[in-house]
Amino acid sequence: MPGTVLLLAASPVGKGRLVDAASVLPVLAAVAPPVLSGTETANVVELADPLEPQAVLTRLRAAATAPGPLTMFITGQLQLDRKQHLPHLALARTTPSTVRYTAFPWAWIREELRLRAPGTTTLLLDLHADAETWQWLRAHPLDSGRTHAVHGRIAPPPPRRGVAVPTYMKAVATVLRSGYRPPVEELHQLAVGRLGAEAYADVLLASPGLVGAGAPGGSAPRPPSALKGPRPQTPPEGGPPDGLDDAHRSEKDTDPHAAITDAVQAGRHPAADALAAEHEQAAVRAHGRGSEQALHWTEVRADLAMLAGDPVRSCRAWLAVAAARLAVGQAPDVPAVEAAVDRAHHQWGQIHDPVTARELGLALAELRGRVPGRRAGALDHVRKQLLQLQP
């Protein structure tokens, strides 16, 4: 029976673009349709930077009702609407204030695929999240349907004023251009292997369709960011001015994470870090340096440093989290420990000053010796980079 392939690449036009999604389509289009689908013959539908959600829905609905296997390759960026705070795939005309009307609700993917027979639908995703969505994913799954195979990655926001490249999907296409269509699990692993250290910061998706935020490697549940979601409570304490306007005071008092999110979105990164530091110190005084309460806020600050474009501070914070977790007796293969080392590894790769990179690289190499992680070659990668940093 013929298969159906849907190639969807979408991202906003202009300064709101996080990823050049459509750049992957020529590479995917060079792959023979049967190889894309894994069937003897296949029909391919391509959507490049669509303008209207209804146009996407029409194509999705037609693909979902077609007989035979369905394979969807989706590349783009996730944003939340301001009313319901639900994830959408941003389209060409999407802006932060118009997500609800101009972007494609992710829930529509689940709804349109829900009547398909189990085991007949595969989604390969290369998604970038903006800062707000990256935080939202901590507490919420990206639900694409429980009976489908979902593989791919969700990447954090790129550096400020930067536009990311869909390297995971390009790696998938490169593997498929050989003419060989491996099982989707193997295809996913081959693509991740081509990403190298870049993927240490990503949430890797390799599970049925209900995809919660996961530790790098896609194993045990682990949030990609500590900025939002269930968190330890710390007693209210006095502290330094947080730089937030009065409109956010009452919300901050009940949920400091909301105030931090607002500050990040407004570009007030020092204010966001100051508020997180205040709660970190309160947690240390109340519960101790190695407590989950204190480590939660250290992770928040590590993410804030990443969002502020400060890889040195972020790397130091993640190294501190990993060392603290090991010091209190957590095993090297605990997901929280592995995630901290993976994220320190990724941020270390963003450091351009050789002296600082060498200093933190030595600490990372020591940790990698104890926490190798789930990807082969992580310690070797650090050692090779350190050799290149020798004066």
Side-chain angles (χ1 to χ4, degrees):
M1 183 177 291
T4 300
V5 176
L6 179 61
L7 307 178
L8 171 56
S11 56
V13 174
K15 63 181 181 179
R17 173 172 290 190
L18 300 180
V19 59
D20 184 9
S23 66
V24 76
L25 288 177
V27 191
L28 285 170
V31 180
V35 179
L36 288 172
S37 177
T39 57
E40 290 187 5
T41 59
N43 301 310
V44 178
V45 178
E46 180 179 311
L47 283 171
D49 283 329
L51 299 177
E52 300 292 341
Q54 286 297 327
V56 179
L57 180 61
T58 298
R59 298 297 183 90
L60 173 60
R61 184 166 292 166
T65 56
L70 170 63
T71 305
M72 298 173 58
F73 297 80
I74 303 179
T75 306
Q77 67 189 59
L78 293 174
Q79 295 180 226
L80 304 182
D81 70 278
R82 290 185 172 177
K83 183 175 182 179
Q84 294 181 299
H85 299 284
L86 295 176
H88 291 62
L89 184 71
L91 303 183
R93 294 174 176 170
T94 301
T95 65
S97 62
T98 66
V99 170
R100 184 172 173 83
Y101 308 102
T102 62
F104 188 79
W106 196 263
W108 288 5
I109 294 177
R110 182 190 68 242
E111 289 303 310
E112 293 302 318
L113 299 179
R114 64 187 174 86
L115 297 181
R116 289 188 57 81
T120 63
T121 307
T122 300
L123 288 81
L124 287 160
L125 311 177
D126 190 348
L127 303 171
H128 282 69
D130 67 2
E132 184 182 15
T133 309
W134 187 247
Q135 300 163 26
W136 180 90
L137 286 166
R138 188 197 197 293
H140 305 86
L142 187 66
D143 188 353
S144 306
R146 297 173 182 270
T147 61
H148 317 311
V150 179
H151 296 267
R153 64 94 177 253
I154 304 175
R160 284 179 291 178
R161 295 178 296 277
V163 177
V165 175
T167 48
Y168 172 85
M169 197 64 79
K170 287 190 173 183
V172 168
T174 300
V175 172
L176 294 178
R177 286 181 69 181
S178 69
Y180 170 59
R181 173 62 146 82
V184 67
E185 296 85 356
E186 181 183 344
L187 175 61
H188 170 71
Q189 292 302 328
L190 289 171
V192 170
R194 289 173 175 264
L195 298 184
E198 174 190 341
Y200 288 126
D202 298 342
V203 176
L204 297 184
L205 314 177
S207 69
L210 185 63
V211 179
S219 53
R222 170 70 184 161
S225 167
L227 292 180
K228 196 172 180 67
R231 54 253 170 194
Q233 297 298 311
T234 56
E237 297 276 347
D242 55 31
L244 300 169
D245 57 53
D246 291 339
H248 296 112
R249 298 290 178 180
S250 60
E251 187 176 11
K252 183 201 76 172
D253 290 341
T254 57
D255 182 2
H257 300 77
I260 290 171
T261 297
D262 286 347
V264 170
Q265 292 175 340
R268 300 194 303 273
H269 296 283
D273 183 66
L275 181 55
E278 174 186 341
H279 285 272
E280 180 186 34
Q281 291 305 311
V284 169
R285 290 192 297 270
H287 306 284
R289 173 67 61 183
S291 65
E292 282 296 326
Q293 289 86 345
L295 291 176
H296 166 77
W297 286 106
T298 308
E299 291 177 346
V300 168
R301 299 188 68 195
D303 268 336
L304 289 173
M306 177 196 71
L307 295 171
D310 189 343
V312 173
R313 186 158 52 90
S314 183
C315 180
R316 288 188 191 279
W318 284 120
L319 289 172
V321 169
R325 291 190 179 281
L326 290 170
V328 297
Q330 294 187 20
D333 61 352
V334 168
V337 177
E338 290 183 336
V341 179
D342 281 348
R343 287 170 185 156
H345 193 151
H346 174 264
Q347 290 297 290
W348 178 65
Q350 310 301 308
I351 298 171
H352 300 298
D353 176 58
V355 175
T356 306
R358 192 162 51 247
E359 171 205 343
L360 293 177
L362 292 171
L364 177 61
E366 191 277 329
L367 272 176
R368 271 296 184 207
R370 302 170 64 188
V371 188
R374 297 174 188 265
R375 300 180 201 172
L379 178 57
D380 287 342
H381 176 266
V382 177
R383 288 172 173 168
K384 288 177 182 177
Q385 293 298 110
L386 282 173
L387 286 175
Q388 296 179 17
L389 290 168
Q390 292 300 322

mmCIF file of all heavy atoms in Angstrom, residues 340-376:
data_model
loop_
_atom_site.group_PDB
_atom_site.id
_atom_site.type_symbol
_atom_site.label_atom_id
_atom_site.label_comp_id
_atom_site.label_asym_id
_atom_site.label_seq_id
_atom_site.Cartn_x
_atom_site.Cartn_y
_atom_site.Cartn_z
ATOM 1 N N ALA A 340 22.564 17.763 33.963
ATOM 2 C CA ALA A 340 23.407 18.890 34.367
ATOM 3 C C ALA A 340 24.754 18.855 33.643
ATOM 4 O O ALA A 340 25.232 19.886 33.151
ATOM 5 C CB ALA A 340 23.611 18.875 35.879
ATOM 6 N N VAL A 341 25.357 17.673 33.557
ATOM 7 C CA VAL A 341 26.649 17.567 32.878
ATOM 8 C C VAL A 341 26.489 17.804 31.376
ATOM 9 O O VAL A 341 27.308 18.479 30.744
ATOM 10 C CB VAL A 341 27.303 16.201 33.162
ATOM 11 C CG1 VAL A 341 28.643 16.085 32.434
ATOM 12 C CG2 VAL A 341 27.521 16.008 34.655
ATOM 13 N N ASP A 342 25.437 17.265 30.789
ATOM 14 C CA ASP A 342 25.202 17.489 29.356
ATOM 15 C C ASP A 342 25.042 18.970 29.045
ATOM 16 O O ASP A 342 25.570 19.479 28.053
ATOM 17 C CB ASP A 342 23.953 16.730 28.904
ATOM 18 C CG ASP A 342 24.212 15.251 28.671
ATOM 19 O OD1 ASP A 342 25.392 14.849 28.646
ATOM 20 O OD2 ASP A 342 23.238 14.495 28.513
ATOM 21 N N ARG A 343 24.322 19.676 29.895
ATOM 22 C CA ARG A 343 24.093 21.093 29.631
ATOM 23 C C ARG A 343 25.344 21.926 29.898
ATOM 24 O O ARG A 343 25.598 22.914 29.205
ATOM 25 C CB ARG A 343 22.882 21.571 30.421
ATOM 26 C CG ARG A 343 21.621 21.012 29.778
ATOM 27 C CD ARG A 343 20.375 21.191 30.546
ATOM 28 N NE ARG A 343 19.308 20.487 29.810
ATOM 29 C CZ ARG A 343 18.213 20.043 30.337
ATOM 30 N NH1 ARG A 343 17.983 20.238 31.614
ATOM 31 N NH2 ARG A 343 17.311 19.411 29.610
ATOM 32 N N ALA A 344 26.121 21.520 30.891
ATOM 33 C CA ALA A 344 27.418 22.177 31.083
ATOM 34 C C ALA A 344 28.301 21.961 29.852
ATOM 35 O O ALA A 344 28.983 22.889 29.387
ATOM 36 C CB ALA A 344 28.102 21.623 32.334
ATOM 37 N N HIS A 345 28.263 20.754 29.314
ATOM 38 C CA HIS A 345 29.046 20.418 28.118
ATOM 39 C C HIS A 345 28.632 21.302 26.944
ATOM 40 O O HIS A 345 29.480 21.859 26.234
ATOM 41 C CB HIS A 345 28.828 18.938 27.794
ATOM 42 C CG HIS A 345 29.794 18.376 26.791
ATOM 43 N ND1 HIS A 345 30.170 17.061 26.783
ATOM 44 C CD2 HIS A 345 30.450 18.942 25.747
ATOM 45 C CE1 HIS A 345 31.021 16.839 25.794
ATOM 46 N NE2 HIS A 345 31.196 17.973 25.144
ATOM 47 N N HIS A 346 27.335 21.435 26.741
ATOM 48 C CA HIS A 346 26.864 22.269 25.628
ATOM 49 C C HIS A 346 27.286 23.718 25.801
ATOM 50 O O HIS A 346 27.775 24.358 24.856
ATOM 51 C CB HIS A 346 25.345 22.183 25.517
ATOM 52 C CG HIS A 346 24.780 23.113 24.496
ATOM 53 N ND1 HIS A 346 24.274 24.355 24.823
ATOM 54 C CD2 HIS A 346 24.658 23.002 23.150
ATOM 55 C CE1 HIS A 346 23.864 24.963 23.731
ATOM 56 N NE2 HIS A 346 24.069 24.173 22.697
ATOM 57 N N GLN A 347 27.098 24.281 26.981
ATOM 58 C CA GLN A 347 27.457 25.676 27.201
ATOM 59 C C GLN A 347 28.962 25.892 27.103
ATOM 60 O O GLN A 347 29.423 26.930 26.619
ATOM 61 C CB GLN A 347 26.914 26.144 28.554
ATOM 62 C CG GLN A 347 25.397 26.282 28.597
ATOM 63 C CD GLN A 347 24.896 27.340 27.641
ATOM 64 O OE1 GLN A 347 25.102 28.537 27.846
ATOM 65 N NE2 GLN A 347 24.245 26.910 26.562
ATOM 66 N N TRP A 348 29.734 24.912 27.533
ATOM 67 C CA TRP A 348 31.187 24.999 27.403
ATOM 68 C C TRP A 348 31.589 25.157 25.936
ATOM 69 O O TRP A 348 32.500 25.911 25.609
ATOM 70 C CB TRP A 348 31.833 23.753 28.012
ATOM 71 C CG TRP A 348 33.326 23.709 27.890
ATOM 72 C CD1 TRP A 348 34.231 24.543 28.463
ATOM 73 C CD2 TRP A 348 34.087 22.754 27.128
ATOM 74 N NE1 TRP A 348 35.504 24.177 28.120
ATOM 75 C CE2 TRP A 348 35.451 23.080 27.302
ATOM 76 C CE3 TRP A 348 33.755 21.657 26.337
ATOM 77 C CZ2 TRP A 348 36.488 22.346 26.710
ATOM 78 C CZ3 TRP A 348 34.770 20.915 25.745
ATOM 79 C CH2 TRP A 348 36.113 21.262 25.929
ATOM 80 N N GLY A 349 30.880 24.474 25.055
ATOM 81 C CA GLY A 349 31.168 24.575 23.639
ATOM 82 C C GLY A 349 30.876 25.938 23.046
ATOM 83 O O GLY A 349 31.307 26.239 21.925
ATOM 84 N N GLN A 350 30.138 26.793 23.778
ATOM 85 C CA GLN A 350 29.813 28.132 23.295
ATOM 86 C C GLN A 350 30.807 29.186 23.775
ATOM 87 O O GLN A 350 30.698 30.359 23.413
ATOM 88 C CB GLN A 350 28.407 28.539 23.764
ATOM 89 C CG GLN A 350 27.327 27.506 23.500
ATOM 90 C CD GLN A 350 27.188 27.174 22.032
ATOM 91 O OE1 GLN A 350 27.046 28.061 21.206
ATOM 92 N NE2 GLN A 350 27.248 25.888 21.703
ATOM 93 N N ILE A 351 31.781 28.800 24.600
ATOM 94 C CA ILE A 351 32.735 29.749 25.189
ATOM 95 C C ILE A 351 33.863 30.006 24.195
ATOM 96 O O ILE A 351 34.502 29.071 23.696
ATOM 97 C CB ILE A 351 33.292 29.208 26.517
ATOM 98 C CG1 ILE A 351 32.160 29.041 27.532
ATOM 99 C CG2 ILE A 351 34.364 30.145 27.076
ATOM 100 C CD1 ILE A 351 32.570 28.313 28.803
ATOM 101 N N HIS A 352 34.129 31.272 23.922
ATOM 102 C CA HIS A 352 35.130 31.630 22.917
ATOM 103 C C HIS A 352 36.477 32.017 23.529
ATOM 104 O O HIS A 352 37.498 31.951 22.826
ATOM 105 C CB HIS A 352 34.614 32.778 22.052
ATOM 106 C CG HIS A 352 33.347 32.443 21.315
ATOM 107 N ND1 HIS A 352 33.276 31.432 20.378
ATOM 108 C CD2 HIS A 352 32.100 32.968 21.397
ATOM 109 C CE1 HIS A 352 32.045 31.348 19.897
ATOM 110 N NE2 HIS A 352 31.306 32.271 20.504
ATOM 111 N N ASP A 353 36.497 32.422 24.778
ATOM 112 C CA ASP A 353 37.766 32.799 25.407
ATOM 113 C C ASP A 353 38.554 31.531 25.748
ATOM 114 O O ASP A 353 38.087 30.704 26.548
ATOM 115 C CB ASP A 353 37.514 33.605 26.683
ATOM 116 C CG ASP A 353 38.804 33.922 27.418
ATOM 117 O OD1 ASP A 353 39.691 34.552 26.816
ATOM 118 O OD2 ASP A 353 38.945 33.491 28.578
ATOM 119 N N PRO A 354 39.735 31.328 25.183
ATOM 120 C CA PRO A 354 40.451 30.061 25.384
ATOM 121 C C PRO A 354 40.877 29.814 26.826
ATOM 122 O O PRO A 354 40.908 28.666 27.273
ATOM 123 C CB PRO A 354 41.663 30.180 24.453
ATOM 124 C CG PRO A 354 41.810 31.644 24.164
ATOM 125 C CD PRO A 354 40.446 32.222 24.244
ATOM 126 N N VAL A 355 41.218 30.874 27.547
ATOM 127 C CA VAL A 355 41.651 30.683 28.942
ATOM 128 C C VAL A 355 40.497 30.157 29.788
ATOM 129 O O VAL A 355 40.630 29.190 30.547
ATOM 130 C CB VAL A 355 42.211 32.004 29.512
ATOM 131 C CG1 VAL A 355 42.545 31.837 30.995
ATOM 132 C CG2 VAL A 355 43.447 32.441 28.732
ATOM 133 N N THR A 356 39.345 30.810 29.660
ATOM 134 C CA THR A 356 38.171 30.363 30.416
ATOM 135 C C THR A 356 37.725 28.985 29.962
ATOM 136 O O THR A 356 37.352 28.136 30.784
ATOM 137 C CB THR A 356 37.019 31.366 30.239
ATOM 138 O OG1 THR A 356 37.462 32.672 30.591
ATOM 139 C CG2 THR A 356 35.835 30.991 31.115
ATOM 140 N N ALA A 357 37.739 28.744 28.655
ATOM 141 C CA ALA A 357 37.343 27.434 28.139
ATOM 142 C C ALA A 357 38.251 26.334 28.665
ATOM 143 O O ALA A 357 37.783 25.230 28.986
ATOM 144 C CB ALA A 357 37.359 27.450 26.619
ATOM 145 N N ARG A 358 39.537 26.612 28.755
ATOM 146 C CA ARG A 358 40.474 25.603 29.280
ATOM 147 C C ARG A 358 40.194 25.338 30.765
ATOM 148 O O ARG A 358 40.182 24.190 31.210
ATOM 149 C CB ARG A 358 41.909 26.094 29.073
ATOM 150 C CG ARG A 358 42.961 25.027 29.319
ATOM 151 C CD ARG A 358 44.302 25.402 28.683
ATOM 152 N NE ARG A 358 44.743 26.745 29.053
ATOM 153 C CZ ARG A 358 44.842 27.761 28.193
ATOM 154 N NH1 ARG A 358 44.489 27.609 26.940
ATOM 155 N NH2 ARG A 358 45.272 28.930 28.611
ATOM 156 N N GLU A 359 39.961 26.399 31.511
ATOM 157 C CA GLU A 359 39.680 26.243 32.954
ATOM 158 C C GLU A 359 38.429 25.388 33.189
ATOM 159 O O GLU A 359 38.449 24.407 33.948
ATOM 160 C CB GLU A 359 39.483 27.623 33.583
ATOM 161 C CG GLU A 359 38.980 27.579 35.023
ATOM 162 C CD GLU A 359 38.233 28.840 35.429
ATOM 163 O OE1 GLU A 359 38.372 29.872 34.741
ATOM 164 O OE2 GLU A 359 37.476 28.774 36.429
ATOM 165 N N LEU A 360 37.340 25.761 32.512
ATOM 166 C CA LEU A 360 36.102 25.023 32.719
ATOM 167 C C LEU A 360 36.155 23.648 32.051
ATOM 168 O O LEU A 360 35.500 22.709 32.511
ATOM 169 C CB LEU A 360 34.924 25.829 32.174
ATOM 170 C CG LEU A 360 34.627 27.132 32.926
ATOM 171 C CD1 LEU A 360 33.486 27.888 32.267
ATOM 172 C CD2 LEU A 360 34.291 26.849 34.385
ATOM 173 N N GLY A 361 36.927 23.530 30.986
ATOM 174 C CA GLY A 361 37.063 22.230 30.328
ATOM 175 C C GLY A 361 37.714 21.190 31.217
ATOM 176 O O GLY A 361 37.348 20.005 31.169
ATOM 177 N N LEU A 362 38.669 21.609 32.009
ATOM 178 C CA LEU A 362 39.303 20.667 32.940
ATOM 179 C C LEU A 362 38.297 20.162 33.974
ATOM 180 O O LEU A 362 38.265 18.970 34.302
ATOM 181 C CB LEU A 362 40.492 21.338 33.634
ATOM 182 C CG LEU A 362 41.688 21.655 32.731
ATOM 183 C CD1 LEU A 362 42.704 22.512 33.485
ATOM 184 C CD2 LEU A 362 42.339 20.356 32.246
ATOM 185 N N ALA A 363 37.467 21.075 34.469
ATOM 186 C CA ALA A 363 36.431 20.657 35.422
ATOM 187 C C ALA A 363 35.411 19.757 34.750
ATOM 188 O O ALA A 363 34.950 18.761 35.335
ATOM 189 C CB ALA A 363 35.746 21.892 36.021
ATOM 190 N N LEU A 364 35.050 20.071 33.513
ATOM 191 C CA LEU A 364 34.096 19.248 32.785
ATOM 192 C C LEU A 364 34.665 17.865 32.507
ATOM 193 O O LEU A 364 33.956 16.856 32.623
ATOM 194 C CB LEU A 364 33.717 19.939 31.472
ATOM 195 C CG LEU A 364 32.771 19.174 30.552
ATOM 196 C CD1 LEU A 364 31.433 18.906 31.232
ATOM 197 C CD2 LEU A 364 32.555 19.948 29.245
ATOM 198 N N ALA A 365 35.953 17.794 32.151
ATOM 199 C CA ALA A 365 36.571 16.495 31.882
ATOM 200 C C ALA A 365 36.549 15.616 33.132
ATOM 201 O O ALA A 365 36.303 14.402 33.048
ATOM 202 C CB ALA A 365 37.998 16.692 31.384
ATOM 203 N N GLU A 366 36.798 16.229 34.282
ATOM 204 C CA GLU A 366 36.758 15.451 35.527
ATOM 205 C C GLU A 366 35.356 14.907 35.773
ATOM 206 O O GLU A 366 35.183 13.747 36.153
ATOM 207 C CB GLU A 366 37.209 16.339 36.688
ATOM 208 C CG GLU A 366 37.462 15.592 37.998
ATOM 209 C CD GLU A 366 36.193 15.346 38.808
ATOM 210 O OE1 GLU A 366 35.271 16.184 38.711
ATOM 211 O OE2 GLU A 366 36.130 14.320 39.518
ATOM 212 N N LEU A 367 34.342 15.734 35.528
ATOM 213 C CA LEU A 367 32.967 15.281 35.708
ATOM 214 C C LEU A 367 32.579 14.245 34.665
ATOM 215 O O LEU A 367 31.883 13.273 34.970
ATOM 216 C CB LEU A 367 32.013 16.469 35.629
ATOM 217 C CG LEU A 367 31.724 17.216 36.935
ATOM 218 C CD1 LEU A 367 30.845 18.417 36.657
ATOM 219 C CD2 LEU A 367 31.060 16.302 37.953
ATOM 220 N N ARG A 368 33.011 14.438 33.426
ATOM 221 C CA ARG A 368 32.697 13.479 32.376
ATOM 222 C C ARG A 368 33.309 12.111 32.678
ATOM 223 O O ARG A 368 32.756 11.077 32.291
ATOM 224 C CB ARG A 368 33.204 13.980 31.024
ATOM 225 C CG ARG A 368 32.224 14.846 30.266
ATOM 226 C CD ARG A 368 30.982 14.077 29.893
ATOM 227 N NE ARG A 368 30.048 14.842 29.083
ATOM 228 C CZ ARG A 368 28.755 14.627 29.054
ATOM 229 N NH1 ARG A 368 28.222 13.698 29.822
ATOM 230 N NH2 ARG A 368 27.960 15.331 28.287
ATOM 231 N N GLY A 369 34.433 12.098 33.371
ATOM 232 C CA GLY A 369 35.011 10.824 33.768
ATOM 233 C C GLY A 369 34.117 10.056 34.720
ATOM 234 O O GLY A 369 34.103 8.818 34.732
ATOM 235 N N ARG A 370 33.327 10.792 35.497
ATOM 236 C CA ARG A 370 32.402 10.155 36.446
ATOM 237 C C ARG A 370 31.000 10.015 35.874
ATOM 238 O O ARG A 370 30.262 9.105 36.268
ATOM 239 C CB ARG A 370 32.347 11.001 37.727
ATOM 240 C CG ARG A 370 33.702 11.186 38.410
ATOM 241 C CD ARG A 370 33.637 12.225 39.517
ATOM 242 N NE ARG A 370 32.765 11.826 40.604
ATOM 243 C CZ ARG A 370 32.419 12.617 41.612
ATOM 244 N NH1 ARG A 370 32.848 13.875 41.631
ATOM 245 N NH2 ARG A 370 31.645 12.176 42.572
ATOM 246 N N VAL A 371 30.634 10.925 34.978
ATOM 247 C CA VAL A 371 29.283 10.939 34.399
ATOM 248 C C VAL A 371 29.415 10.927 32.879
ATOM 249 O O VAL A 371 29.310 11.976 32.231
ATOM 250 C CB VAL A 371 28.486 12.175 34.868
ATOM 251 C CG1 VAL A 371 27.028 12.083 34.414
ATOM 252 C CG2 VAL A 371 28.553 12.338 36.380
ATOM 253 N N PRO A 372 29.644 9.781 32.288
ATOM 254 C CA PRO A 372 29.842 9.750 30.831
ATOM 255 C C PRO A 372 28.597 10.083 30.036
ATOM 256 O O PRO A 372 28.686 10.483 28.877
ATOM 257 C CB PRO A 372 30.299 8.305 30.571
ATOM 258 C CG PRO A 372 29.768 7.517 31.735
ATOM 259 C CD PRO A 372 29.808 8.458 32.905
ATOM 260 N N GLY A 373 27.413 9.925 30.634
ATOM 261 C CA GLY A 373 26.175 10.188 29.908
ATOM 262 C C GLY A 373 25.796 9.039 29.000
ATOM 263 O O GLY A 373 26.431 7.981 29.003
ATOM 264 N N ARG A 374 24.778 9.269 28.199
ATOM 265 C CA ARG A 374 24.207 8.198 27.379
ATOM 266 C C ARG A 374 24.670 8.244 25.931
ATOM 267 O O ARG A 374 24.188 7.470 25.107
ATOM 268 C CB ARG A 374 22.670 8.273 27.444
ATOM 269 C CG ARG A 374 22.161 8.053 28.855
ATOM 270 C CD ARG A 374 20.668 8.256 28.980
ATOM 271 N NE ARG A 374 20.290 8.212 30.385
ATOM 272 C CZ ARG A 374 19.860 7.120 31.005
ATOM 273 N NH1 ARG A 374 19.760 5.991 30.343
ATOM 274 N NH2 ARG A 374 19.551 7.160 32.286
ATOM 275 N N ARG A 375 25.568 9.141 25.625
ATOM 276 C CA ARG A 375 26.072 9.221 24.259
ATOM 277 C C ARG A 375 27.549 8.889 24.248
ATOM 278 O O ARG A 375 28.346 9.453 24.996
ATOM 279 C CB ARG A 375 25.853 10.606 23.687
ATOM 280 C CG ARG A 375 24.392 10.987 23.644
ATOM 281 C CD ARG A 375 24.204 12.366 23.073
ATOM 282 N NE ARG A 375 22.912 12.889 23.492
ATOM 283 C CZ ARG A 375 22.524 14.119 23.276
ATOM 284 N NH1 ARG A 375 23.309 14.963 22.665
ATOM 285 N NH2 ARG A 375 21.336 14.527 23.688
ATOM 286 N N ALA A 376 27.917 7.973 23.376
ATOM 287 C CA ALA A 376 29.312 7.557 23.290
ATOM 288 C C ALA A 376 30.180 8.723 22.826
ATOM 289 O O ALA A 376 29.790 9.516 21.982
ATOM 290 C CB ALA A 376 29.444 6.377 22.327
#
